[in-house]
Amino acid sequence: PSANGEFRFNYTTLVDAQKAGLTYSFHYSTDLTGDPATWPTFVPEAVDEPGSIVTLSPTHEMRLVRVPPPLISANSRLFLLLRVEQ
């Protein structure tokens, strides 16, 4: 967690992902059971601070996001999965 208790993570994305037909979906599990394709989804929250989006190359960037606080407070364990599909 961050200094204020947020669960933050980075992920790398294609700058023109939508143009390339890519979609990113974020899923979670509390116990790693079941098919990951059926895990519930969540929308990560953007971290609004300097350096939260880092250009890695002309085509890729790294974004810092956080898990929504209600999801954290409702679960003692979380396993996250980022799916990228075309």
Side-chain angles (χ1 to χ4, degrees):
S2 67
N4 63 356
E6 295 175 326
F7 184 162
R8 297 178 172 195
F9 64 95
N10 291 303
Y11 73 99
T12 302
T13 180
L14 186 65
V15 173
D16 289 327
Q18 187 175 19
K19 191 176 189 180
L22 298 178
T23 58
Y24 295 80
S25 58
F26 298 84
H27 303 261
Y28 72 93
S29 173
T30 57
D31 59 10
L32 292 176
T33 61
D35 181 354
T38 64
W39 288 0
T41 61
F42 72 97
V43 177
E45 299 176 349
V47 173
D48 186 23
E49 63 185 42
S52 62
I53 298 177
V54 176
T55 300
L56 301 174
S57 73
T59 57
H60 291 83
E61 62 189 16
M62 184 170 58
R63 297 183 180 191
L64 175 63
V65 294
R66 69 176 147 248
V67 175
L71 189 56
I72 297 293
S73 63
N75 298 285
S76 60
R77 294 188 318 175
L78 285 176
F79 301 92
L80 305 181
L81 170 70
L82 166 59
R83 294 186 66 167
V84 183
E85 299 176 285
Q86 186 173 32

